[in-house]
């Protein structure tokens, strides 16, 4: 079963930092694109950051310059380094991956990890 699992959430004070990790597991050929999404209660889901197989990144305007997405292909893992955190960054963060299985590309999303930023 192909899946991705996030870790690294928690409680941090405003101005602090956290790093989220997400690792793919199961039987597959490779992971092409990674993305992080977030959704807070009562709010719309937001795409926070993306990283494609060429290394190109894209960020939500409100996190640009504070968050960095990266990947370790040898470990099939992506990271989201979050600096200068603000209370409005409080949300459940979801990892999303495009994973090649034989000749198909599957999209898998984790169960989410809670990030809480206190003021």
């Amino acid at each position: 079963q192909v899946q991705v699992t996030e870790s690294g959430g928690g409680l941090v004070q405003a101005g602090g930092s956290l790093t989220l990790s997400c690792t793919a597991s199961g039987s597959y050929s490779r992971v092409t694109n990674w993305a992080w999404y977030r959704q807070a209660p009562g709010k719309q889901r937001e795409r926070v950051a993306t990283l494609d197989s060429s290394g190109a990144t894209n960020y939500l305007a409100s996190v640009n310059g504070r968050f960095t997405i990266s990947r370790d292909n040898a470990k099939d893992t992506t990271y989201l380094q979050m600096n200068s955190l603000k209370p409005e960054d409080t949300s459940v963060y979801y990892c999303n991956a495009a994973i090649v299985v034989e000749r198909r590309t599957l999209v898998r999303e984790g169960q989410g990890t809670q990030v809480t930023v206190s003021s």
Side-chain angles (χ1 to χ4, degrees):
Q1 184 178 0
V2 178
Q3 61 184 11
V4 294
T5 306
E6 307 100 337
S7 62
L11 173 64
V12 64
Q13 287 189 332
S17 299
L18 275 178
T19 300
L20 305 183
S21 302
C22 177
T23 299
S25 62
S27 180
Y28 56 89
S29 300
R30 59 191 175 98
V31 180
T32 55
N33 301 335
W34 291 101
W36 288 93
Y37 290 80
R38 68 185 183 187
Q39 187 165 23
K43 294 187 177 181
Q44 283 195 330
R45 176 178 164 100
E46 297 179 305
R47 188 173 64 187
V48 176
T50 63
L51 172 59
D52 70 16
S53 56
S54 74
T57 59
N58 204 329
Y59 295 94
L60 183 69
S62 61
V63 309
N64 198 22
R66 299 189 296 121
F67 290 11
T68 302
I69 186 172
S70 61
R71 65 195 295 167
D72 183 335
N73 290 330
K75 297 180 179 180
D76 285 334
T77 297
T78 186
Y79 304 95
L80 185 67
Q81 173 68 44
M82 304 184 294
N83 298 326
S84 302
L85 282 161
K86 304 175 181 180
E88 50 265 42
D89 293 319
T90 295
S91 192
V92 178
Y93 285 72
Y94 299 90
C95 168
N96 182 289
I99 302 174
V100 177
V101 179
E102 297 179 343
R103 295 185 179 183
R104 299 177 298 156
T105 297
L106 307 179
V107 177
R108 290 291 181 264
E109 186 160 288
Q111 293 186 331
T113 186
Q114 176 71 46
V115 172
T116 303
V117 184
S118 63
S119 56

